[in-house]
Amino acid sequence: MNQPTSPQILEHYDSICPLISEDLRWFLVYETLVMAKEAFQMQDDDKQVPESKKELYHIGLRLYLARLIRAHILMGQNIEVSENFLLEALNYGQTYTPQHPIYELGCYLDYLETWSDNHQDWTKESPQAFDHLDIVVMPETL
């Protein structure tokens, strides 16, 4: 009977950064946050969240980040992310997410979500970069 192998522990976020495009680096963090917030029903303004729920949310962040990396970057490899890896990833996302008007960033996030649904392996292809994308917002018609 084969023994399951121990997972590789990823220690530093910059270890996976060269494998994917710049926009996918912060999008990975964004998707992790969205998935964990939905799963744990967290809101940005939850000030009175019990400590136990905060701890579970934090564990969930690590699990969802590892799941996305396995699915889109390291293609099924048995990995886990360390606490340090998660903190570096969150810092990367906060630092490098484009600071543009919400409607422009929202349009790009919609594009990235559609792109990621259609491209399993993020190391082989890259979406069009945000800085090279013309986003046109059309006024709503009545």
Side-chain angles (χ1 to χ4, degrees):
M1 187 187 269
N2 289 340
Q3 291 280 349
T5 58
S6 297
Q8 174 188 359
I9 309 284
L10 301 180
E11 295 288 340
H12 298 285
Y13 190 66
D14 62 0
S15 67
I16 63 155
C17 287
L19 302 174
I20 56 177
S21 71
E22 286 184 37
D23 286 343
L24 289 176
R25 294 172 195 166
W26 60 261
F27 179 69
L28 176 65
V29 176
Y30 169 81
E31 279 294 292
T32 299
L33 290 167
V34 167
M35 290 168 66
K37 282 182 179 181
E38 286 177 2
F40 291 95
Q41 299 176 352
M42 299 288 282
Q43 303 297 320
D44 289 333
D45 59 351
D46 279 348
K47 302 228 187 305
Q48 297 184 2
V49 174
E51 196 62 35
S52 59
K53 187 172 181 179
K54 287 180 187 177
E55 289 175 17
L56 286 173
Y57 173 71
H58 193 77
I59 292 167
L61 284 172
R62 287 177 59 188
L63 293 173
Y64 284 115
L65 183 56
R67 181 186 292 174
L68 286 169
I69 291 169
R70 272 193 303 275
H72 297 292
I73 301 169
L74 298 179
M75 306 312 294
Q77 291 183 28
N78 188 11
I79 59 109
E80 291 181 8
V81 298
S82 69
E83 179 70 19
N84 184 67
F85 187 98
L86 174 64
L87 295 175
E88 287 179 3
L90 293 172
N91 184 54
Y92 188 96
Q94 185 174 30
T95 303
Y96 292 102
T97 299
Q99 302 300 312
H100 289 274
I102 298 286
Y103 64 87
E104 287 181 13
L105 190 55
C107 291
Y108 189 61
L109 287 170
D110 289 344
Y111 163 72
L112 285 177
E113 288 174 8
T114 301
W115 183 91
S116 69
D117 288 344
N118 294 313
H119 297 86
Q120 184 69 22
D121 188 346
W122 294 358
T123 64
K124 292 195 185 322
E125 295 183 62
S126 298
Q128 188 169 351
F130 182 77
D131 292 337
H132 299 111
L133 195 63
D134 290 327
I135 297 174
V136 177
V137 178
M138 303 298 289
E140 290 188 40
T141 58
L142 298 175

